[in-house]
Structures are given as C-alpha cells and as structure tokens.
PDB file of all heavy atoms in Angstrom:
ATOM      1  N   ASN A  76       0.832  -1.213   0.001  1.00  0.00           N
ATOM      2  CA  ASN A  76       0.014   0.003  -0.009  1.00  0.00           C
ATOM      3  C   ASN A  76       0.863   1.263  -0.005  1.00  0.00           C
ATOM      4  O   ASN A  76       0.616   2.193  -0.768  1.00  0.00           O
ATOM      5  CB  ASN A  76      -0.944   0.008   1.214  1.00  0.00           C
ATOM      6  CG  ASN A  76      -2.062  -0.992   1.078  1.00  0.00           C
ATOM      7  OD1 ASN A  76      -2.366  -1.468  -0.032  1.00  0.00           O
ATOM      8  ND2 ASN A  76      -2.675  -1.353   2.186  1.00  0.00           N
ATOM      9  N   HIS A  77       1.883   1.286   0.851  1.00  0.00           N
ATOM     10  CA  HIS A  77       2.769   2.465   0.907  1.00  0.00           C
ATOM     11  C   HIS A  77       3.480   2.660  -0.436  1.00  0.00           C
ATOM     12  O   HIS A  77       3.566   3.777  -0.974  1.00  0.00           O
ATOM     13  CB  HIS A  77       3.826   2.322   2.006  1.00  0.00           C
ATOM     14  CG  HIS A  77       3.275   2.162   3.386  1.00  0.00           C
ATOM     15  ND1 HIS A  77       2.057   2.674   3.778  1.00  0.00           N
ATOM     16  CD2 HIS A  77       3.797   1.545   4.501  1.00  0.00           C
ATOM     17  CE1 HIS A  77       1.855   2.381   5.066  1.00  0.00           C
ATOM     18  NE2 HIS A  77       2.887   1.704   5.515  1.00  0.00           N
ATOM     19  N   TYR A  78       3.968   1.569  -1.018  1.00  0.00           N
ATOM     20  CA  TYR A  78       4.687   1.590  -2.281  1.00  0.00           C
ATOM     21  C   TYR A  78       3.801   2.083  -3.401  1.00  0.00           C
ATOM     22  O   TYR A  78       4.210   2.871  -4.253  1.00  0.00           O
ATOM     23  CB  TYR A  78       5.221   0.170  -2.570  1.00  0.00           C
ATOM     24  CG  TYR A  78       6.231   0.084  -3.692  1.00  0.00           C
ATOM     25  CD1 TYR A  78       7.505   0.589  -3.513  1.00  0.00           C
ATOM     26  CD2 TYR A  78       5.883  -0.539  -4.876  1.00  0.00           C
ATOM     27  CE1 TYR A  78       8.435   0.481  -4.534  1.00  0.00           C
ATOM     28  CE2 TYR A  78       6.825  -0.632  -5.905  1.00  0.00           C
ATOM     29  CZ  TYR A  78       8.096  -0.133  -5.741  1.00  0.00           C
ATOM     30  OH  TYR A  78       9.033  -0.242  -6.732  1.00  0.00           O
ATOM     31  N   ASN A  79       2.560   1.631  -3.407  1.00  0.00           N
ATOM     32  CA  ASN A  79       1.597   2.035  -4.463  1.00  0.00           C
ATOM     33  C   ASN A  79       1.260   3.502  -4.434  1.00  0.00           C
ATOM     34  O   ASN A  79       0.941   4.095  -5.462  1.00  0.00           O
ATOM     35  CB  ASN A  79       0.315   1.176  -4.411  1.00  0.00           C
ATOM     36  CG  ASN A  79       0.550  -0.225  -4.942  1.00  0.00           C
ATOM     37  OD1 ASN A  79       1.528  -0.461  -5.654  1.00  0.00           O
ATOM     38  ND2 ASN A  79      -0.318  -1.128  -4.584  1.00  0.00           N
ATOM     39  N   VAL A  80       1.307   4.127  -3.252  1.00  0.00           N
ATOM     40  CA  VAL A  80       1.076   5.588  -3.191  1.00  0.00           C
ATOM     41  C   VAL A  80       2.201   6.323  -3.919  1.00  0.00           C
ATOM     42  O   VAL A  80       1.990   7.428  -4.439  1.00  0.00           O
ATOM     43  CB  VAL A  80       0.936   6.058  -1.730  1.00  0.00           C
ATOM     44  CG1 VAL A  80       0.703   7.568  -1.663  1.00  0.00           C
ATOM     45  CG2 VAL A  80      -0.176   5.321  -0.991  1.00  0.00           C
ATOM     46  N   LEU A  81       3.350   5.704  -4.017  1.00  0.00           N
ATOM     47  CA  LEU A  81       4.527   6.320  -4.684  1.00  0.00           C
ATOM     48  C   LEU A  81       4.615   5.976  -6.157  1.00  0.00           C
ATOM     49  O   LEU A  81       5.652   6.203  -6.777  1.00  0.00           O
ATOM     50  CB  LEU A  81       5.805   5.860  -3.962  1.00  0.00           C
ATOM     51  CG  LEU A  81       5.979   6.281  -2.506  1.00  0.00           C
ATOM     52  CD1 LEU A  81       7.000   5.417  -1.799  1.00  0.00           C
ATOM     53  CD2 LEU A  81       6.361   7.748  -2.439  1.00  0.00           C
ATOM     54  N   LYS A  82       3.517   5.464  -6.727  1.00  0.00           N
ATOM     55  CA  LYS A  82       3.590   4.906  -8.092  1.00  0.00           C
ATOM     56  C   LYS A  82       4.017   5.881  -9.177  1.00  0.00           C
ATOM     57  O   LYS A  82       4.476   5.478 -10.242  1.00  0.00           O
ATOM     58  CB  LYS A  82       2.262   4.233  -8.465  1.00  0.00           C
ATOM     59  CG  LYS A  82       1.092   5.191  -8.610  1.00  0.00           C
ATOM     60  CD  LYS A  82      -0.203   4.408  -8.814  1.00  0.00           C
ATOM     61  CE  LYS A  82      -1.412   5.307  -8.844  1.00  0.00           C
ATOM     62  NZ  LYS A  82      -1.590   6.119  -7.624  1.00  0.00           N
ATOM     63  N   ASP A  83       3.855   7.191  -8.943  1.00  0.00           N
ATOM     64  CA  ASP A  83       4.229   8.180  -9.981  1.00  0.00           C
ATOM     65  C   ASP A  83       5.732   8.485  -9.998  1.00  0.00           C
ATOM     66  O   ASP A  83       6.188   9.181 -10.890  1.00  0.00           O
ATOM     67  CB  ASP A  83       3.440   9.465  -9.796  1.00  0.00           C
ATOM     68  CG  ASP A  83       1.967   9.273 -10.090  1.00  0.00           C
ATOM     69  OD1 ASP A  83       1.641   8.378 -10.927  1.00  0.00           O
ATOM     70  OD2 ASP A  83       1.150  10.015  -9.534  1.00  0.00           O
ATOM     71  N   TYR A  84       6.466   7.983  -9.022  1.00  0.00           N
ATOM     72  CA  TYR A  84       7.890   8.265  -8.999  1.00  0.00           C
ATOM     73  C   TYR A  84       8.663   7.297  -9.833  1.00  0.00           C
ATOM     74  O   TYR A  84       8.368   6.105  -9.833  1.00  0.00           O
ATOM     75  CB  TYR A  84       8.406   8.258  -7.554  1.00  0.00           C
ATOM     76  CG  TYR A  84       7.975   9.465  -6.785  1.00  0.00           C
ATOM     77  CD1 TYR A  84       6.786   9.470  -6.094  1.00  0.00           C
ATOM     78  CD2 TYR A  84       8.727  10.632  -6.830  1.00  0.00           C
ATOM     79  CE1 TYR A  84       6.351  10.594  -5.433  1.00  0.00           C
ATOM     80  CE2 TYR A  84       8.303  11.771  -6.176  1.00  0.00           C
ATOM     81  CZ  TYR A  84       7.104  11.742  -5.469  1.00  0.00           C
ATOM     82  OH  TYR A  84       6.684  12.868  -4.824  1.00  0.00           O
ATOM     83  N   LYS A  85       9.655   7.805 -10.575  1.00  0.00           N
ATOM     84  CA  LYS A  85      10.549   6.945 -11.367  1.00  0.00           C
ATOM     85  C   LYS A  85      11.957   7.342 -11.021  1.00  0.00           C
ATOM     86  O   LYS A  85      12.633   7.996 -11.796  1.00  0.00           O
ATOM     87  CB  LYS A  85      10.294   7.162 -12.860  1.00  0.00           C
ATOM     88  CG  LYS A  85       8.840   7.035 -13.314  1.00  0.00           C
ATOM     89  CD  LYS A  85       8.383   5.583 -13.397  1.00  0.00           C
ATOM     90  CE  LYS A  85       6.992   5.420 -13.895  1.00  0.00           C
ATOM     91  NZ  LYS A  85       5.974   5.483 -12.846  1.00  0.00           N
ATOM     92  N   GLU A  86      12.392   7.028  -9.825  1.00  0.00           N
ATOM     93  CA  GLU A  86      13.727   7.427  -9.411  1.00  0.00           C
ATOM     94  C   GLU A  86      14.265   6.419  -8.411  1.00  0.00           C
ATOM     95  O   GLU A  86      13.503   5.663  -7.796  1.00  0.00           O
ATOM     96  CB  GLU A  86      13.668   8.817  -8.775  1.00  0.00           C
ATOM     97  CG  GLU A  86      12.811   8.878  -7.540  1.00  0.00           C
ATOM     98  CD  GLU A  86      12.527  10.272  -6.992  1.00  0.00           C
ATOM     99  OE1 GLU A  86      12.046  11.111  -7.759  1.00  0.00           O
ATOM    100  OE2 GLU A  86      12.810  10.479  -5.792  1.00  0.00           O
ATOM    101  N   ASP A  87      15.563   6.438  -8.232  1.00  0.00           N
ATOM    102  CA  ASP A  87      16.168   5.559  -7.245  1.00  0.00           C
ATOM    103  C   ASP A  87      16.075   6.309  -5.906  1.00  0.00           C
ATOM    104  O   ASP A  87      16.329   7.506  -5.836  1.00  0.00           O
ATOM    105  CB  ASP A  87      17.641   5.348  -7.598  1.00  0.00           C
ATOM    106  CG  ASP A  87      18.322   4.421  -6.613  1.00  0.00           C
ATOM    107  OD1 ASP A  87      17.639   3.525  -6.071  1.00  0.00           O
ATOM    108  OD2 ASP A  87      19.531   4.542  -6.429  1.00  0.00           O
ATOM    109  N   ALA A  88      15.662   5.613  -4.869  1.00  0.00           N
ATOM    110  CA  ALA A  88      15.535   6.288  -3.583  1.00  0.00           C
ATOM    111  C   ALA A  88      16.211   5.436  -2.504  1.00  0.00           C
ATOM    112  O   ALA A  88      15.970   4.222  -2.441  1.00  0.00           O
ATOM    113  CB  ALA A  88      14.061   6.510  -3.234  1.00  0.00           C
ATOM    114  N   LYS A  89      17.031   6.053  -1.684  1.00  0.00           N
ATOM    115  CA  LYS A  89      17.591   5.353  -0.541  1.00  0.00           C
ATOM    116  C   LYS A  89      16.555   5.397   0.570  1.00  0.00           C
ATOM    117  O   LYS A  89      15.933   6.428   0.815  1.00  0.00           O
ATOM    118  CB  LYS A  89      18.863   6.057  -0.076  1.00  0.00           C
ATOM    119  CG  LYS A  89      20.015   5.862  -1.044  1.00  0.00           C
ATOM    120  CD  LYS A  89      21.262   5.482  -0.270  1.00  0.00           C
ATOM    121  CE  LYS A  89      22.459   5.192  -1.162  1.00  0.00           C
ATOM    122  NZ  LYS A  89      22.224   4.883  -2.531  1.00  0.00           N
ATOM    123  N   VAL A  90      16.358   4.252   1.228  1.00  0.00           N
ATOM    124  CA  VAL A  90      15.346   4.180   2.273  1.00  0.00           C
ATOM    125  C   VAL A  90      16.040   4.053   3.616  1.00  0.00           C
ATOM    126  O   VAL A  90      16.903   3.235   3.811  1.00  0.00           O
ATOM    127  CB  VAL A  90      14.442   2.945   2.047  1.00  0.00           C
ATOM    128  CG1 VAL A  90      13.496   2.779   3.208  1.00  0.00           C
ATOM    129  CG2 VAL A  90      13.680   3.091   0.754  1.00  0.00           C
ATOM    130  N   SER A  91      15.622   4.908   4.559  1.00  0.00           N
ATOM    131  CA  SER A  91      16.139   4.800   5.910  1.00  0.00           C
ATOM    132  C   SER A  91      15.000   4.365   6.812  1.00  0.00           C
ATOM    133  O   SER A  91      13.971   5.029   6.871  1.00  0.00           O
ATOM    134  CB  SER A  91      16.709   6.161   6.306  1.00  0.00           C
ATOM    135  OG  SER A  91      16.400   6.439   7.645  1.00  0.00           O
ATOM    136  N   ALA A  92      15.157   3.218   7.451  1.00  0.00           N
ATOM    137  CA  ALA A  92      14.110   2.711   8.344  1.00  0.00           C
ATOM    138  C   ALA A  92      14.757   1.913   9.456  1.00  0.00           C
ATOM    139  O   ALA A  92      15.646   1.094   9.207  1.00  0.00           O
ATOM    140  CB  ALA A  92      13.125   1.849   7.560  1.00  0.00           C
ATOM    141  N   GLY A  93      14.313   2.150  10.665  1.00  0.00           N
ATOM    142  CA  GLY A  93      14.864   1.403  11.810  1.00  0.00           C
ATOM    143  C   GLY A  93      14.285   0.009  11.882  1.00  0.00           C
ATOM    144  O   GLY A  93      13.194  -0.226  11.392  1.00  0.00           O
ATOM    145  N   THR A  94      15.023  -0.911  12.474  1.00  0.00           N
ATOM    146  CA  THR A  94      14.515  -2.249  12.664  1.00  0.00           C
ATOM    147  C   THR A  94      15.130  -2.895  13.897  1.00  0.00           C
ATOM    148  O   THR A  94      16.354  -2.794  14.069  1.00  0.00           O
ATOM    149  CB  THR A  94      14.779  -3.112  11.404  1.00  0.00           C
ATOM    150  OG1 THR A  94      14.253  -4.416  11.606  1.00  0.00           O
ATOM    151  CG2 THR A  94      16.255  -3.236  11.094  1.00  0.00           C
ATOM    152  N   PRO A  95      14.338  -3.506  14.787  1.00  0.00           N
ATOM    153  CA  PRO A  95      14.955  -4.210  15.929  1.00  0.00           C
ATOM    154  C   PRO A  95      15.635  -5.466  15.414  1.00  0.00           C
ATOM    155  O   PRO A  95      14.996  -6.290  14.772  1.00  0.00           O
ATOM    156  CB  PRO A  95      13.751  -4.557  16.814  1.00  0.00           C
ATOM    157  CG  PRO A  95      12.538  -4.012  16.172  1.00  0.00           C
ATOM    158  CD  PRO A  95      12.890  -3.587  14.788  1.00  0.00           C
ATOM    159  N   ILE A  96      16.947  -5.579  15.663  1.00  0.00           N
ATOM    160  CA  ILE A  96      17.653  -6.729  15.138  1.00  0.00           C
ATOM    161  C   ILE A  96      18.240  -7.596  16.225  1.00  0.00           C
ATOM    162  O   ILE A  96      18.261  -7.213  17.392  1.00  0.00           O
ATOM    163  CB  ILE A  96      18.777  -6.333  14.133  1.00  0.00           C
ATOM    164  CG1 ILE A  96      19.752  -5.358  14.786  1.00  0.00           C
ATOM    165  CG2 ILE A  96      18.186  -5.770  12.859  1.00  0.00           C
ATOM    166  CD1 ILE A  96      21.023  -5.143  14.006  1.00  0.00           C
ATOM    167  N   GLY A  97      18.779  -8.755  15.831  1.00  0.00           N
ATOM    168  CA  GLY A  97      19.393  -9.676  16.753  1.00  0.00           C
ATOM    169  C   GLY A  97      18.482 -10.841  17.067  1.00  0.00           C
ATOM    170  O   GLY A  97      18.040 -11.005  18.217  1.00  0.00           O
ATOM    171  N   PRO A  98      18.140 -11.667  16.046  1.00  0.00           N
ATOM    172  CA  PRO A  98      17.234 -12.782  16.305  1.00  0.00           C
ATOM    173  C   PRO A  98      17.806 -13.740  17.319  1.00  0.00           C
ATOM    174  O   PRO A  98      19.030 -13.888  17.423  1.00  0.00           O
ATOM    175  CB  PRO A  98      17.089 -13.478  14.943  1.00  0.00           C
ATOM    176  CG  PRO A  98      18.293 -13.061  14.171  1.00  0.00           C
ATOM    177  CD  PRO A  98      18.638 -11.690  14.681  1.00  0.00           C
ATOM    178  N   GLY A  99      16.911 -14.375  18.075  1.00  0.00           N
ATOM    179  CA  GLY A  99      17.359 -15.344  19.078  1.00  0.00           C
ATOM    180  C   GLY A  99      16.286 -16.403  19.234  1.00  0.00           C
ATOM    181  O   GLY A  99      15.729 -16.887  18.260  1.00  0.00           O
ATOM    182  N   SER A 100      15.957 -16.702  20.486  1.00  0.00           N
ATOM    183  CA  SER A 100      14.916 -17.678  20.777  1.00  0.00           C
ATOM    184  C   SER A 100      13.556 -17.088  20.381  1.00  0.00           C
ATOM    185  O   SER A 100      13.445 -15.885  20.175  1.00  0.00           O
ATOM    186  CB  SER A 100      14.894 -18.002  22.258  1.00  0.00           C
ATOM    187  OG  SER A 100      14.466 -16.840  22.974  1.00  0.00           O
ATOM    188  N   THR A 101      12.545 -17.916  20.341  1.00  0.00           N
ATOM    189  CA  THR A 101      11.191 -17.451  20.012  1.00  0.00           C
ATOM    190  C   THR A 101      10.716 -16.380  21.015  1.00  0.00           C
ATOM    191  O   THR A 101      10.145 -15.371  20.604  1.00  0.00           O
ATOM    192  CB  THR A 101      10.214 -18.619  19.924  1.00  0.00           C
ATOM    193  OG1 THR A 101      10.636 -19.456  18.821  1.00  0.00           O
ATOM    194  CG2 THR A 101       8.785 -18.168  19.659  1.00  0.00           C
ATOM    195  N   SER A 102      11.013 -16.562  22.276  1.00  0.00           N
ATOM    196  CA  SER A 102      10.634 -15.573  23.285  1.00  0.00           C
ATOM    197  C   SER A 102      11.318 -14.236  22.973  1.00  0.00           C
ATOM    198  O   SER A 102      10.681 -13.183  23.000  1.00  0.00           O
ATOM    199  CB  SER A 102      11.022 -16.048  24.678  1.00  0.00           C
ATOM    200  OG  SER A 102      10.824 -15.028  25.624  1.00  0.00           O
ATOM    201  N   HIS A 103      12.602 -14.300  22.678  1.00  0.00           N
ATOM    202  CA  HIS A 103      13.369 -13.083  22.347  1.00  0.00           C
ATOM    203  C   HIS A 103      12.816 -12.429  21.062  1.00  0.00           C
ATOM    204  O   HIS A 103      12.666 -11.223  20.980  1.00  0.00           O
ATOM    205  CB  HIS A 103      14.845 -13.456  22.147  1.00  0.00           C
ATOM    206  CG  HIS A 103      15.701 -12.317  21.674  1.00  0.00           C
ATOM    207  ND1 HIS A 103      16.148 -11.324  22.513  1.00  0.00           N
ATOM    208  CD2 HIS A 103      16.141 -12.015  20.421  1.00  0.00           C
ATOM    209  CE1 HIS A 103      16.859 -10.435  21.797  1.00  0.00           C
ATOM    210  NE2 HIS A 103      16.866 -10.848  20.553  1.00  0.00           N
TER     211      HIS A 103
END
C-alpha cells in the first residue's frame, strides 16, 4: 500500500528505516 502511493515516482531512492535486530529464541 505504501509503495503504491509512490507509483508516480521513477527514481532511485535510498530508504532509511529502523529495525529491531538480533534474532534469538522465540521468546526473544
């Protein structure tokens, strides 16, 4: 849905987005 709102753009874009990393056990 987010990507489709940008459908008129024809350019390369760098994306900055945070993400919690460090997979472990299922509880973690």
Side-chain angles (χ1 to χ4, degrees):
N76 288 341
H77 300 332
Y78 192 71
N79 285 341
V80 180
L81 296 161
K82 67 187 175 303
D83 291 332
Y84 286 90
K85 307 283 183 272
E86 61 190 55
D87 183 30
K89 289 227 177 340
V90 174
S91 141
T94 181
I96 57 167
S100 67
T101 296
S102 173
H103 174 80

